[in-house]
């Protein structure tokens, strides 16, 4: 198990290195002088510009700048936002709770919905139930999330007035969570369905039936349990979808959050914030994937020793 | 944002083109996929013939009263400048369809190249190439796209690259697997024995046989590429107004949602219909090419 863990952690190193390098290079690859962005068009003397350049460290050789960036990033210091002058870590920390709240409730809806549809379809393949479940999955995969969101806002928020669309508290979270969850429901449902169908063809299912186990027990103890393993393995994929979903959902509902912050920072060219968010999101994604792999390894020993 | 199609099994790799065509020809038994293909054809034709079929110039202002609801003269209504929404949607197909196709071509070509090189050559090339694939897969797909937009800026060309990049490692992974399985075939060995160069072996023997999985993956990816393009447009990070891109139009219509919901309804509807149709065709293609799935 330790070797498995070590192998997985080793894999994170090149990805984190690549993410750090990409984030670092953002500021250097953009056309134009970052100092102009800091000044946002205001005229400034050459001396002021020189000072700003020194403050950003742009006057030092590139490797030194890189080392500086990595060392400070490791301590959570990403410099100051061009837009507000606040420390970047503070700007992000302010947005984080709203994002986590949305991610938590949306994840529950997405996973519950996907499992429900997938299990229903997988247990009764090629029936009306399967047809309906897979139709919902197809719609989920093909609906643009922002459109789903706007339809929901229009119907339930504006026309029917059932849910508030601005303000705070739990009711405001309902529609965004549904939209956030919808990013994974379709994919998850398809995955679960095909996994269940695969498992039901296995020998041990026939054995379980042959030894006279009641069908309910065969399904619950043998089929579902084994069918959900590959689904755990695909969780990383769902996380990727959720990150995309978060960016869209926060923007369309005009919510606070890290995803909305990223979009605004790109639009306003607030590059220190962009750098930090790219690095942090990728790091979170990478480590979440390691956790998923570990969980998979715990559940299924074949993976660990394979 | 990137939707992950299920991998195409390697045993399909060897299916000769004629058999594939024969399988696809059984479309009469699949009315839904046929209908979806017809819808796509209709959208494509409308895009090509946009100047002839759209009732107004898409950028002409005041073709009617601003924010007019759908009616006889403006079937999809007008926007705040009095531009005809239907005409803009028809012209929008000229953006969304080619951008989707170009982005997928971008990922398919680069990904296939990477996949063929790593899978067929093996050894050190494979070690380095696979490492690169793994690293790219380590990024959340949307981060790659946003990273590129952050560096290159917004605009049509950059959207193609941003949307395409996320697909590269996914194509590469599948093509690599296929190339490895093809490499072991006798006809490759025979070709090598006859003195064929590596390049020729890849082009003449491996690539044609790796085609079915690439085509299926590409079809399914066009849908997600169109979704991603419109999402970037919606976020203001993609195609910029006044270009009538569907996602961009939707974002423009957002502030009038309460009074003119048609501004957000029809562009979103178009993205949805197009992507559903593509996914249905893609799913059918996958099932048709995979006997294992067909049996179900």
């Amino acid at each position: 198990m330790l070797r498995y863990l070590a192998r997985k952690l080793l894999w994170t190193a090149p990805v984190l290195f690549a993410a750090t390098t990409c984030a670092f290079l953002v500021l250097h690859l953009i056309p134009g002088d970052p100092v102009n962005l800091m000044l946002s068009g205001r005229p400034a003397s050459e001396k002021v510009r020189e000072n700003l350049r020194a403050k950003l460290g742009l006057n030092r050789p590139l490797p030194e700048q890189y080392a500086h960036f990595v060392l400070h990033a490791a301590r959570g210091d990403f410099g100051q936002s061009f837009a507000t002058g606040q420390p970047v870590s503070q700007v992000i920390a302010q947005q984080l709770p709203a994002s986590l709240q949305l991610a938590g409730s949306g994840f529950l809806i997405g996973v519950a919905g996907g499992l429900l549809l997938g299990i229903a379809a997988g247990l009764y393949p090629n029936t009306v139930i399967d047809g309906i479940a897979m139709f919902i999955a197809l719609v989920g995969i093909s609906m643009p999330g922002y459109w789903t969101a706007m339809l929901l806002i229009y119907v339930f928020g504006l026309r029917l007035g059932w849910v508030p669309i601005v303000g705070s508290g739990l009711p405001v979270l309902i529609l965004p969570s549904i939209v956030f969850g919808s990013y994974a429901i379709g994919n998850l449902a398809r995955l679960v369905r095909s996994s269940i169908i695969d498992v039901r063809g296995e020998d041990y299912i026939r054995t379980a039936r042959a030894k006279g186990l009641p069908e309910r027990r065969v399904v619950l103890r043998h089929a579902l349990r084994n069918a959900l393993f590959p689904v755990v393995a695909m969780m990383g994929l769902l996380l990727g979808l959720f990150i995309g979903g978060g960016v869209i959902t926060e923007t369309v509902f005009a919510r606070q959050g890290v995803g909305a912050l990223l979009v605004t920072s790109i639009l306003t060219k607030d590059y220190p914030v962009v750098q930090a968010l790219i690095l942090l999101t990728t790091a979170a994604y990478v480590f979440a994937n390691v956790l998923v792999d570990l969980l998979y390894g715990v559940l299924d020993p074949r993976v660990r020793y394979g | 944002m990137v939707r992950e199609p299920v991998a195409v099994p390697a045993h399909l790799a060897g299916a000769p083109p004629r058999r594939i065509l024969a399988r696809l020809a059984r479309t009469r038994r699949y009315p839904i996929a046929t209908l979806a293909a017809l819808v796509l054809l209709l959208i494509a034709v409308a895009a090509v013939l946009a100047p002839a079929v759209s009732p107004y110039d898409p950028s002409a202002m005041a073709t009617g009263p601003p924010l007019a609801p759908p009616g006889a003269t403006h079937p999809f209504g007008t926007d705040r400048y009095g531009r005809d929404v239907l005409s803009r949607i028809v012209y929008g197909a000229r953006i969304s369809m080619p951008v989707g196709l170009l982005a997928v071509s971008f990922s398919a070509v680069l990904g296939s190249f990477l996949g063929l090189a790593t899978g067929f050559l093996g050894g050190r090339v494979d070690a380095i190439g696979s490492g690169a694939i793994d690293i790219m897969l380590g990024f959340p797909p949307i981060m790659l796209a946003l990273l590129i937009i952050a560096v290159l800026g917004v605009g049509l060309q950059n959207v193609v690259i941003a949307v395409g990049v996320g697909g590269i490692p996914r194509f590469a992974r599948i093509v690599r697997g296929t190339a490895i399985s093809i490499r072991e075939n006798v006809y490759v060995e025979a070709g090598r024995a006859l003195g064929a160069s590596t390049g020729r072996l890849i082009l003449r023997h491996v690539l044609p046989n790796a085609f079915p999985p690439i085509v299926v993956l590409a079809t399914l990816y066009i849908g997600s590429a169109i979704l991603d393009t419109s999402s970037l447009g919606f976020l203001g990070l993609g195609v910029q107004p006044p270009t009538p891109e569907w996602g961009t139009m939707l974002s423009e219509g957002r502030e009038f949602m309460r009074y003119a919901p048609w501004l957000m309804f029809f562009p979103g509807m178009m993205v949805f219909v197009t992507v559903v149709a593509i996914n249905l065709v893609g799913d059918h293609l996958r099932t048709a090419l995979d006997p294992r799935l067909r049996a179900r």
Side-chain angles (χ1 to χ4, degrees), chain A residues 18 141-142 146-147 150 153-154 158 190 198 237 241 251-252 262 271 278 285, chain B residues 2 4 138 146-147 150 230 250 254 257-258 261 264-265 269 276 279 283 296:
Chain A
I141 287 174
S142 311
Y146 52 86
W147 192 55
M150 289 169 80
I153 294 176
Y154 183 73
L158 297 177
R190 289 178 157 207
D198 278 347
L237 170 81
L241 295 176
T251 308
V252 70
L262 178 59
Y271 286 106
I278 287 173
Y285 181 67
Chain B
V2 174
E4 193 110 358
L146 293 180
L147 189 69
S230 73
L250 221 142
R254 205 171 132 197
M257 195 160 77
R258 189 182 285 266
M264 64 98 180
F265 182 75
M269 189 73 208
V276 166
N279 282 337
D283 282 344
R296 281 178 193 165

mmCIF file of all heavy atoms in Angstrom, chain A residues 18 141-142 146-147 150 153-154 158 190 198 237 241 251-252 262 271 278 285, chain B residues 2 4 138 146-147 150 230 250 254 257-258 261 264-265 269 276 279 283 296:
data_model
loop_
_atom_site.group_PDB
_atom_site.id
_atom_site.type_symbol
_atom_site.label_atom_id
_atom_site.label_comp_id
_atom_site.label_asym_id
_atom_site.label_seq_id
_atom_site.Cartn_x
_atom_site.Cartn_y
_atom_site.Cartn_z
ATOM 1 N N ALA A 18 4.808 21.294 -13.975
ATOM 2 C CA ALA A 18 4.261 21.884 -15.199
ATOM 3 C C ALA A 18 3.291 23.010 -14.860
ATOM 4 O O ALA A 18 3.309 24.084 -15.484
ATOM 5 C CB ALA A 18 3.568 20.811 -16.035
ATOM 6 N N ILE A 141 -25.891 15.729 -20.761
ATOM 7 C CA ILE A 141 -24.594 15.878 -21.407
ATOM 8 C C ILE A 141 -24.628 16.978 -22.456
ATOM 9 O O ILE A 141 -23.645 17.671 -22.681
ATOM 10 C CB ILE A 141 -24.172 14.525 -22.043
ATOM 11 C CG1 ILE A 141 -23.773 13.553 -20.948
ATOM 12 C CG2 ILE A 141 -23.031 14.704 -23.011
ATOM 13 C CD1 ILE A 141 -23.480 12.171 -21.440
ATOM 14 N N SER A 142 -25.782 17.155 -23.090
ATOM 15 C CA SER A 142 -25.847 18.062 -24.238
ATOM 16 C C SER A 142 -26.327 19.473 -23.907
ATOM 17 O O SER A 142 -26.185 20.371 -24.716
ATOM 18 C CB SER A 142 -26.771 17.473 -25.310
ATOM 19 O OG SER A 142 -26.452 16.136 -25.567
ATOM 20 N N TYR A 146 -24.931 26.935 -18.793
ATOM 21 C CA TYR A 146 -25.423 28.298 -18.572
ATOM 22 C C TYR A 146 -26.852 28.454 -19.067
ATOM 23 O O TYR A 146 -27.634 29.220 -18.521
ATOM 24 C CB TYR A 146 -24.506 29.309 -19.284
ATOM 25 C CG TYR A 146 -24.258 28.996 -20.735
ATOM 26 C CD1 TYR A 146 -25.139 29.418 -21.707
ATOM 27 C CD2 TYR A 146 -23.160 28.251 -21.128
ATOM 28 C CE1 TYR A 146 -24.933 29.111 -23.032
ATOM 29 C CE2 TYR A 146 -22.944 27.937 -22.447
ATOM 30 C CZ TYR A 146 -23.833 28.373 -23.403
ATOM 31 O OH TYR A 146 -23.649 28.042 -24.717
ATOM 32 N N TRP A 147 -27.212 27.663 -20.072
ATOM 33 C CA TRP A 147 -28.582 27.731 -20.597
ATOM 34 C C TRP A 147 -29.550 27.077 -19.612
ATOM 35 O O TRP A 147 -30.605 27.632 -19.308
ATOM 36 C CB TRP A 147 -28.647 27.055 -21.968
ATOM 37 C CG TRP A 147 -29.923 27.308 -22.723
ATOM 38 C CD1 TRP A 147 -30.449 28.522 -23.030
ATOM 39 C CD2 TRP A 147 -30.811 26.320 -23.267
ATOM 40 N NE1 TRP A 147 -31.618 28.344 -23.738
ATOM 41 C CE2 TRP A 147 -31.869 27.018 -23.899
ATOM 42 C CE3 TRP A 147 -30.826 24.924 -23.282
ATOM 43 C CZ2 TRP A 147 -32.918 26.366 -24.547
ATOM 44 C CZ3 TRP A 147 -31.860 24.278 -23.924
ATOM 45 C CH2 TRP A 147 -32.892 24.987 -24.549
ATOM 46 N N MET A 150 -30.126 29.515 -16.933
ATOM 47 C CA MET A 150 -30.994 30.638 -17.257
ATOM 48 C C MET A 150 -32.445 30.206 -17.393
ATOM 49 O O MET A 150 -33.362 30.935 -17.001
ATOM 50 C CB MET A 150 -30.481 31.334 -18.521
ATOM 51 C CG MET A 150 -29.191 32.090 -18.215
ATOM 52 S SD MET A 150 -28.335 32.681 -19.647
ATOM 53 C CE MET A 150 -29.257 34.142 -19.998
ATOM 54 N N ILE A 153 -33.636 29.835 -13.835
ATOM 55 C CA ILE A 153 -33.845 31.158 -13.224
ATOM 56 C C ILE A 153 -35.142 31.766 -13.750
ATOM 57 O O ILE A 153 -35.961 32.293 -12.999
ATOM 58 C CB ILE A 153 -32.668 32.105 -13.541
ATOM 59 C CG1 ILE A 153 -31.387 31.608 -12.883
ATOM 60 C CG2 ILE A 153 -32.973 33.524 -13.069
ATOM 61 C CD1 ILE A 153 -30.169 32.435 -13.243
ATOM 62 N N TYR A 154 -35.329 31.668 -15.076
ATOM 63 C CA TYR A 154 -36.498 32.287 -15.685
ATOM 64 C C TYR A 154 -37.785 31.640 -15.178
ATOM 65 O O TYR A 154 -38.705 32.331 -14.734
ATOM 66 C CB TYR A 154 -36.421 32.178 -17.215
ATOM 67 C CG TYR A 154 -37.566 32.878 -17.894
ATOM 68 C CD1 TYR A 154 -37.617 34.265 -17.938
ATOM 69 C CD2 TYR A 154 -38.606 32.160 -18.475
ATOM 70 C CE1 TYR A 154 -38.673 34.924 -18.535
ATOM 71 C CE2 TYR A 154 -39.667 32.812 -19.080
ATOM 72 C CZ TYR A 154 -39.698 34.186 -19.107
ATOM 73 O OH TYR A 154 -40.753 34.843 -19.689
ATOM 74 N N LEU A 158 -38.119 33.789 -11.851
ATOM 75 C CA LEU A 158 -38.840 34.973 -12.312
ATOM 76 C C LEU A 158 -40.327 34.719 -12.514
ATOM 77 O O LEU A 158 -41.164 35.489 -12.075
ATOM 78 C CB LEU A 158 -38.217 35.506 -13.608
ATOM 79 C CG LEU A 158 -36.772 35.995 -13.498
ATOM 80 C CD1 LEU A 158 -36.241 36.438 -14.851
ATOM 81 C CD2 LEU A 158 -36.691 37.154 -12.512
ATOM 82 N N ARG A 190 -24.273 7.296 -17.352
ATOM 83 C CA ARG A 190 -23.847 6.393 -18.421
ATOM 84 C C ARG A 190 -22.793 5.412 -17.932
ATOM 85 O O ARG A 190 -22.807 4.230 -18.258
ATOM 86 C CB ARG A 190 -23.284 7.201 -19.588
ATOM 87 C CG ARG A 190 -24.347 7.945 -20.337
ATOM 88 C CD ARG A 190 -23.723 8.752 -21.437
ATOM 89 N NE ARG A 190 -24.704 9.028 -22.486
ATOM 90 C CZ ARG A 190 -24.392 9.231 -23.744
ATOM 91 N NH1 ARG A 190 -23.147 9.193 -24.139
ATOM 92 N NH2 ARG A 190 -25.325 9.476 -24.634
ATOM 93 N N ASP A 198 -21.908 -4.641 -17.411
ATOM 94 C CA ASP A 198 -20.700 -5.475 -17.508
ATOM 95 C C ASP A 198 -20.652 -6.491 -16.374
ATOM 96 O O ASP A 198 -20.425 -7.672 -16.590
ATOM 97 C CB ASP A 198 -19.441 -4.601 -17.442
ATOM 98 C CG ASP A 198 -19.114 -3.993 -18.795
ATOM 99 O OD1 ASP A 198 -19.714 -4.461 -19.793
ATOM 100 O OD2 ASP A 198 -18.297 -3.062 -18.853
ATOM 101 N N LEU A 237 -12.385 12.212 -13.324
ATOM 102 C CA LEU A 237 -13.000 12.800 -14.506
ATOM 103 C C LEU A 237 -14.147 13.725 -14.110
ATOM 104 O O LEU A 237 -14.288 14.834 -14.608
ATOM 105 C CB LEU A 237 -13.530 11.665 -15.384
ATOM 106 C CG LEU A 237 -14.413 12.072 -16.543
ATOM 107 C CD1 LEU A 237 -13.549 12.525 -17.667
ATOM 108 C CD2 LEU A 237 -15.288 10.926 -16.960
ATOM 109 N N LEU A 241 -15.029 17.863 -14.654
ATOM 110 C CA LEU A 241 -16.283 18.444 -15.127
ATOM 111 C C LEU A 241 -16.808 19.449 -14.113
ATOM 112 O O LEU A 241 -17.324 20.505 -14.468
ATOM 113 C CB LEU A 241 -17.335 17.343 -15.340
ATOM 114 C CG LEU A 241 -17.054 16.325 -16.433
ATOM 115 C CD1 LEU A 241 -18.125 15.252 -16.440
ATOM 116 C CD2 LEU A 241 -16.999 17.006 -17.788
ATOM 117 N N THR A 251 -20.624 32.204 -12.490
ATOM 118 C CA THR A 251 -20.787 33.377 -13.339
ATOM 119 C C THR A 251 -22.251 33.626 -13.669
ATOM 120 O O THR A 251 -22.735 34.748 -13.556
ATOM 121 C CB THR A 251 -19.988 33.197 -14.644
ATOM 122 O OG1 THR A 251 -18.655 32.856 -14.314
ATOM 123 C CG2 THR A 251 -20.008 34.458 -15.465
ATOM 124 N N VAL A 252 -22.965 32.569 -14.047
ATOM 125 C CA VAL A 252 -24.327 32.783 -14.522
ATOM 126 C C VAL A 252 -25.256 33.180 -13.377
ATOM 127 O O VAL A 252 -26.185 33.956 -13.557
ATOM 128 C CB VAL A 252 -24.854 31.551 -15.295
ATOM 129 C CG1 VAL A 252 -25.094 30.386 -14.402
ATOM 130 C CG2 VAL A 252 -26.130 31.891 -16.036
ATOM 131 N N LEU A 262 -11.841 33.809 -11.210
ATOM 132 C CA LEU A 262 -10.902 33.485 -12.286
ATOM 133 C C LEU A 262 -11.312 34.173 -13.588
ATOM 134 O O LEU A 262 -10.498 34.786 -14.283
ATOM 135 C CB LEU A 262 -10.836 31.962 -12.479
ATOM 136 C CG LEU A 262 -9.925 31.457 -13.602
ATOM 137 C CD1 LEU A 262 -8.498 31.903 -13.393
ATOM 138 C CD2 LEU A 262 -9.971 29.935 -13.695
ATOM 139 N N TYR A 271 -3.227 39.463 -13.514
ATOM 140 C CA TYR A 271 -2.470 38.226 -13.687
ATOM 141 C C TYR A 271 -1.990 37.534 -12.418
ATOM 142 O O TYR A 271 -1.969 36.312 -12.376
ATOM 143 C CB TYR A 271 -1.320 38.435 -14.685
ATOM 144 C CG TYR A 271 -1.854 38.517 -16.077
ATOM 145 C CD1 TYR A 271 -1.916 39.725 -16.767
ATOM 146 C CD2 TYR A 271 -2.373 37.383 -16.706
ATOM 147 C CE1 TYR A 271 -2.454 39.794 -18.040
ATOM 148 C CE2 TYR A 271 -2.909 37.452 -17.967
ATOM 149 C CZ TYR A 271 -2.956 38.651 -18.632
ATOM 150 O OH TYR A 271 -3.500 38.708 -19.872
ATOM 151 N N ILE A 278 -4.714 29.277 -11.258
ATOM 152 C CA ILE A 278 -4.332 28.152 -12.115
ATOM 153 C C ILE A 278 -3.553 27.125 -11.306
ATOM 154 O O ILE A 278 -3.841 25.926 -11.328
ATOM 155 C CB ILE A 278 -3.485 28.642 -13.313
ATOM 156 C CG1 ILE A 278 -4.384 29.369 -14.306
ATOM 157 C CG2 ILE A 278 -2.768 27.474 -13.994
ATOM 158 C CD1 ILE A 278 -3.634 30.026 -15.432
ATOM 159 N N TYR A 285 -6.829 19.624 -7.950
ATOM 160 C CA TYR A 285 -7.307 18.578 -8.851
ATOM 161 C C TYR A 285 -6.385 17.363 -8.809
ATOM 162 O O TYR A 285 -6.834 16.213 -8.704
ATOM 163 C CB TYR A 285 -7.370 19.166 -10.258
ATOM 164 C CG TYR A 285 -7.860 18.252 -11.343
ATOM 165 C CD1 TYR A 285 -9.177 17.806 -11.362
ATOM 166 C CD2 TYR A 285 -7.016 17.861 -12.383
ATOM 167 C CE1 TYR A 285 -9.636 16.995 -12.378
ATOM 168 C CE2 TYR A 285 -7.468 17.050 -13.402
ATOM 169 C CZ TYR A 285 -8.777 16.617 -13.394
ATOM 170 O OH TYR A 285 -9.220 15.810 -14.406
ATOM 171 N N VAL B 2 -14.953 19.565 -20.799
ATOM 172 C CA VAL B 2 -14.757 18.512 -21.783
ATOM 173 C C VAL B 2 -15.517 17.264 -21.369
ATOM 174 O O VAL B 2 -15.377 16.778 -20.269
ATOM 175 C CB VAL B 2 -13.262 18.183 -21.926
ATOM 176 C CG1 VAL B 2 -13.057 16.994 -22.832
ATOM 177 C CG2 VAL B 2 -12.516 19.377 -22.451
ATOM 178 N N GLU B 4 -16.077 13.393 -21.590
ATOM 179 C CA GLU B 4 -15.191 12.298 -21.949
ATOM 180 C C GLU B 4 -15.965 11.159 -22.588
ATOM 181 O O GLU B 4 -16.771 10.525 -21.919
ATOM 182 C CB GLU B 4 -14.483 11.786 -20.697
ATOM 183 C CG GLU B 4 -13.348 10.876 -21.037
ATOM 184 C CD GLU B 4 -12.021 11.545 -20.718
ATOM 185 O OE1 GLU B 4 -12.014 12.686 -20.282
ATOM 186 O OE2 GLU B 4 -10.998 10.915 -20.924
ATOM 187 N N GLY B 138 -3.210 15.741 -16.333
ATOM 188 C CA GLY B 138 -3.221 16.142 -14.934
ATOM 189 C C GLY B 138 -3.899 17.483 -14.710
ATOM 190 O O GLY B 138 -4.326 17.788 -13.609
ATOM 191 N N LEU B 146 -8.561 28.012 -20.199
ATOM 192 C CA LEU B 146 -8.496 29.357 -19.623
ATOM 193 C C LEU B 146 -7.060 29.884 -19.597
ATOM 194 O O LEU B 146 -6.820 31.067 -19.783
ATOM 195 C CB LEU B 146 -9.096 29.358 -18.204
ATOM 196 C CG LEU B 146 -10.603 29.098 -18.157
ATOM 197 C CD1 LEU B 146 -11.116 29.116 -16.730
ATOM 198 C CD2 LEU B 146 -11.363 30.102 -19.002
ATOM 199 N N LEU B 147 -6.110 28.961 -19.371
ATOM 200 C CA LEU B 147 -4.694 29.338 -19.397
ATOM 201 C C LEU B 147 -4.340 29.937 -20.757
ATOM 202 O O LEU B 147 -3.679 30.976 -20.854
ATOM 203 C CB LEU B 147 -3.853 28.082 -19.128
ATOM 204 C CG LEU B 147 -2.358 28.236 -18.906
ATOM 205 C CD1 LEU B 147 -2.118 28.926 -17.592
ATOM 206 C CD2 LEU B 147 -1.686 26.867 -18.892
ATOM 207 N N ALA B 150 -5.949 33.245 -21.203
ATOM 208 C CA ALA B 150 -5.279 34.245 -20.368
ATOM 209 C C ALA B 150 -4.016 34.756 -21.046
ATOM 210 O O ALA B 150 -3.694 35.933 -20.979
ATOM 211 C CB ALA B 150 -4.940 33.666 -18.998
ATOM 212 N N SER B 230 -19.161 27.741 -26.955
ATOM 213 C CA SER B 230 -20.256 28.614 -26.569
ATOM 214 C C SER B 230 -20.125 29.025 -25.108
ATOM 215 O O SER B 230 -20.478 30.137 -24.733
ATOM 216 C CB SER B 230 -21.602 27.936 -26.827
ATOM 217 O OG SER B 230 -21.831 26.929 -25.886
ATOM 218 N N LEU B 250 -26.133 34.681 -26.234
ATOM 219 C CA LEU B 250 -26.842 34.364 -25.000
ATOM 220 C C LEU B 250 -26.415 35.292 -23.872
ATOM 221 O O LEU B 250 -27.236 35.771 -23.088
ATOM 222 C CB LEU B 250 -26.503 32.928 -24.623
ATOM 223 C CG LEU B 250 -27.663 32.121 -24.101
ATOM 224 C CD1 LEU B 250 -27.561 30.720 -24.608
ATOM 225 C CD2 LEU B 250 -27.659 32.133 -22.614
ATOM 226 N N ARG B 254 -28.636 38.131 -21.682
ATOM 227 C CA ARG B 254 -28.835 37.805 -20.282
ATOM 228 C C ARG B 254 -29.518 38.913 -19.504
ATOM 229 O O ARG B 254 -30.437 38.678 -18.722
ATOM 230 C CB ARG B 254 -27.470 37.526 -19.685
ATOM 231 C CG ARG B 254 -27.514 36.646 -18.503
ATOM 232 C CD ARG B 254 -26.102 36.287 -18.150
ATOM 233 N NE ARG B 254 -25.903 36.475 -16.740
ATOM 234 C CZ ARG B 254 -24.713 36.554 -16.179
ATOM 235 N NH1 ARG B 254 -23.635 36.488 -16.920
ATOM 236 N NH2 ARG B 254 -24.611 36.718 -14.892
ATOM 237 N N MET B 257 -33.312 39.158 -19.657
ATOM 238 C CA MET B 257 -33.998 37.893 -19.471
ATOM 239 C C MET B 257 -35.440 38.068 -19.022
ATOM 240 O O MET B 257 -36.345 37.390 -19.491
ATOM 241 C CB MET B 257 -33.243 37.074 -18.441
ATOM 242 C CG MET B 257 -33.652 35.646 -18.440
ATOM 243 S SD MET B 257 -32.390 34.683 -17.666
ATOM 244 C CE MET B 257 -32.692 35.038 -15.996
ATOM 245 N N ARG B 258 -35.664 39.019 -18.140
ATOM 246 C CA ARG B 258 -37.001 39.195 -17.581
ATOM 247 C C ARG B 258 -37.992 39.676 -18.647
ATOM 248 O O ARG B 258 -39.129 39.229 -18.690
ATOM 249 C CB ARG B 258 -36.938 40.208 -16.448
ATOM 250 C CG ARG B 258 -38.212 40.308 -15.646
ATOM 251 C CD ARG B 258 -38.053 41.375 -14.576
ATOM 252 N NE ARG B 258 -37.216 40.958 -13.463
ATOM 253 C CZ ARG B 258 -37.700 40.426 -12.340
ATOM 254 N NH1 ARG B 258 -38.988 40.238 -12.194
ATOM 255 N NH2 ARG B 258 -36.895 40.098 -11.364
ATOM 256 N N PRO B 261 -37.099 37.047 -22.860
ATOM 257 C CA PRO B 261 -36.463 35.736 -22.659
ATOM 258 C C PRO B 261 -36.068 35.049 -23.972
ATOM 259 O O PRO B 261 -35.212 34.178 -23.968
ATOM 260 C CB PRO B 261 -37.521 34.924 -21.913
ATOM 261 C CG PRO B 261 -38.803 35.634 -22.129
ATOM 262 C CD PRO B 261 -38.463 37.083 -22.311
ATOM 263 N N MET B 264 -32.333 34.739 -24.797
ATOM 264 C CA MET B 264 -31.481 33.684 -24.256
ATOM 265 C C MET B 264 -32.003 32.311 -24.668
ATOM 266 O O MET B 264 -31.266 31.361 -24.735
ATOM 267 C CB MET B 264 -31.343 33.793 -22.733
ATOM 268 C CG MET B 264 -32.605 33.610 -21.940
ATOM 269 S SD MET B 264 -32.755 31.942 -21.303
ATOM 270 C CE MET B 264 -34.294 32.030 -20.432
ATOM 271 N N PHE B 265 -33.302 32.216 -24.979
ATOM 272 C CA PHE B 265 -33.861 30.896 -25.259
ATOM 273 C C PHE B 265 -33.347 30.315 -26.581
ATOM 274 O O PHE B 265 -32.834 29.197 -26.617
ATOM 275 C CB PHE B 265 -35.393 30.961 -25.291
ATOM 276 C CG PHE B 265 -36.017 29.616 -25.532
ATOM 277 C CD1 PHE B 265 -36.058 28.673 -24.518
ATOM 278 C CD2 PHE B 265 -36.515 29.279 -26.788
ATOM 279 C CE1 PHE B 265 -36.605 27.428 -24.740
ATOM 280 C CE2 PHE B 265 -37.059 28.033 -27.015
ATOM 281 C CZ PHE B 265 -37.106 27.104 -25.991
ATOM 282 N N MET B 269 -31.055 27.033 -27.252
ATOM 283 C CA MET B 269 -31.767 25.941 -27.926
ATOM 284 C C MET B 269 -30.928 25.395 -29.084
ATOM 285 O O MET B 269 -30.821 24.182 -29.262
ATOM 286 C CB MET B 269 -33.096 26.512 -28.457
ATOM 287 C CG MET B 269 -34.055 25.492 -28.990
ATOM 288 S SD MET B 269 -34.754 24.573 -27.616
ATOM 289 C CE MET B 269 -35.102 23.042 -28.439
ATOM 290 N N VAL B 276 -27.015 17.686 -29.025
ATOM 291 C CA VAL B 276 -27.764 16.427 -28.905
ATOM 292 C C VAL B 276 -27.623 15.627 -30.192
ATOM 293 O O VAL B 276 -27.343 14.425 -30.171
ATOM 294 C CB VAL B 276 -29.265 16.683 -28.622
ATOM 295 C CG1 VAL B 276 -30.060 15.412 -28.845
ATOM 296 C CG2 VAL B 276 -29.463 17.157 -27.203
ATOM 297 N N ASN B 279 -24.195 14.136 -30.479
ATOM 298 C CA ASN B 279 -24.013 13.026 -29.545
ATOM 299 C C ASN B 279 -24.769 11.780 -29.990
ATOM 300 O O ASN B 279 -24.283 10.659 -29.842
ATOM 301 C CB ASN B 279 -24.461 13.432 -28.146
ATOM 302 C CG ASN B 279 -23.419 14.299 -27.459
ATOM 303 O OD1 ASN B 279 -22.246 14.255 -27.799
ATOM 304 N ND2 ASN B 279 -23.857 15.115 -26.520
ATOM 305 N N ASP B 283 -22.896 8.427 -30.700
ATOM 306 C CA ASP B 283 -23.232 7.194 -29.979
ATOM 307 C C ASP B 283 -23.557 6.070 -30.952
ATOM 308 O O ASP B 283 -23.157 4.923 -30.770
ATOM 309 C CB ASP B 283 -24.435 7.425 -29.054
ATOM 310 C CG ASP B 283 -24.023 8.160 -27.791
ATOM 311 O OD1 ASP B 283 -22.808 8.197 -27.521
ATOM 312 O OD2 ASP B 283 -24.908 8.685 -27.102
ATOM 313 N N ARG B 296 -25.956 -5.507 -27.016
ATOM 314 C CA ARG B 296 -26.788 -5.174 -25.865
ATOM 315 C C ARG B 296 -28.180 -4.741 -26.277
ATOM 316 O O ARG B 296 -28.360 -3.720 -26.849
ATOM 317 C CB ARG B 296 -26.137 -4.053 -25.076
ATOM 318 C CG ARG B 296 -25.039 -4.631 -24.231
ATOM 319 C CD ARG B 296 -24.360 -3.534 -23.494
ATOM 320 N NE ARG B 296 -23.132 -4.043 -22.920
ATOM 321 C CZ ARG B 296 -22.186 -3.260 -22.473
ATOM 322 N NH1 ARG B 296 -22.299 -1.972 -22.547
ATOM 323 N NH2 ARG B 296 -21.098 -3.781 -21.955
#
